[in-house]
Amino acid sequence: MVLLLKYLSRSVYEEHQEQPELYKTQDHLCTSLTVWRKSLIVSCNGFTVIDSDGNLAYRVDNYMGRPKELILMEGSGKSILTMRRSKSLRLVDTWLVYGGEVGDYCTSAISAEKPIFYVKKCMNILHANNVLAYVYRRSSDKRYAYMIEGSYSHRSCNVVDETKRVVAEIRRKDAITGGFSFGLEVFLLIVQSGFDPGFAMALVLLLDQMFS
């Protein structure tokens, strides 16, 4: 499976070498990741993420259909972000994002941990800008830190900051390379310089929970 992912990643990378605008914005290099909606572990669902050099960058292994907790790991298996569904009874689907790994098997209690971000699904289906979710630094904030627009089901989304600058993009890969159709299961995550690729991948995971 890893060899196939490396092949897919190199195929995407080589094709976009002819389109440098995907990798440079205002002379700053971007990070290009190939995301496969499939776990390396056969018995569970998840994601496998490969960088443009064909190396395993991130992985997620889910053992439940709709988990209450997601853990994003580096390729080595180190946990870097934990996402927990809010226990609030509100109708809005809200996720809390923590740094590292939190929970019963960690040395620090969950009560001592503070979320670094709150991600809330946009429930206004009539919103003109196709807003999917808002990202806040504190639960009490009225102004978002980031906003996610577009359509996850079509793998076409932008993450924008407060100034409406695009900091990350999800792009569908429609081409057929070497007889392999990418479809919706394999897509691109383009992250602008200065934005954390790990957090961008965490947003992909939450969009998948909210809109799949």
Side-chain angles (χ1 to χ4, degrees):
M1 181 181 293
V2 175
L3 292 177
L4 177 57
L5 280 169
K6 287 186 176 183
Y7 167 75
L8 293 178
S9 179
R10 290 194 184 101
S11 298
V12 171
Y13 180 75
E14 290 170 359
E15 179 168 325
H16 287 310
Q17 287 303 297
E18 301 175 357
Q19 303 177 40
E21 67 274 13
L22 292 182
Y23 293 88
K24 291 185 179 181
T25 301
Q26 298 179 348
D27 297 327
H28 293 292
L29 290 176
C30 303
T31 299
S32 175
L33 300 171
T34 300
V35 182
W36 196 0
R37 199 166 174 264
K38 191 174 184 66
S39 171
L40 290 173
I41 300 177
V42 177
S43 60
C44 65
N45 299 318
F47 285 80
T48 303
V49 185
I50 302 295
D51 63 22
S52 58
D53 293 323
N55 299 313
L56 182 61
Y58 304 107
R59 55 181 291 189
V60 179
D61 303 315
N62 297 331
Y63 293 90
M64 295 182 292
R66 287 189 60 81
K68 296 180 180 180
E69 179 178 285
L70 298 168
I71 298 177
L72 177 65
M73 297 178 287
E74 293 179 340
S76 62
K78 178 183 177 182
S79 302
I80 57 174
L81 290 171
T82 298
M83 290 136 280
R84 284 192 161 186
R85 196 185 300 271
S86 174
K87 295 181 180 179
S88 172
L89 296 179
R90 297 176 182 175
L91 296 177
V92 179
D93 193 2
T94 303
W95 288 78
L96 285 61
V97 182
Y98 300 85
E101 185 174 359
V102 295
D104 297 335
Y105 299 100
C106 300
T107 55
S108 59
I110 183 63
S111 59
E113 299 286 345
K114 291 185 178 180
I116 56 177
F117 286 105
Y118 297 79
V119 183
K120 297 182 180 181
K121 180 179 180 179
C122 180
M123 300 301 293
N124 186 357
I125 61 175
L126 298 179
H127 202 292
N129 293 326
N130 296 319
V131 176
L132 301 178
Y134 293 101
V135 182
Y136 301 90
R137 290 188 173 87
R138 290 176 296 272
S139 60
S140 60
D141 285 354
K142 301 299 183 182
R143 178 68 176 174
Y144 63 81
Y146 302 100
M147 180 173 62
I148 308 173
E149 304 173 317
S151 171
Y152 180 72
S153 62
H154 290 88
R155 303 299 188 262
S156 177
C157 305
N158 287 338
V159 181
V160 300
D161 62 15
E162 296 173 291
T163 66
K164 298 299 180 70
R165 180 177 69 94
V166 176
V167 296
E169 301 172 68
I170 298 172
R171 297 188 179 185
R172 182 173 177 176
K173 181 61 181 172
D174 289 320
I176 298 177
T177 304
F180 187 91
S181 177
F182 290 91
L184 292 175
E185 297 301 300
V186 179
F187 53 94
L188 294 176
L189 176 61
I190 310 296
V191 185
Q192 300 294 326
S193 176
F195 193 69
D196 181 13
F199 183 59
M201 186 58 212
L203 295 179
V204 172
L205 301 179
L206 297 185
L207 288 175
D208 193 74
Q209 287 297 310
M210 294 175 180
F211 297 98
S212 293

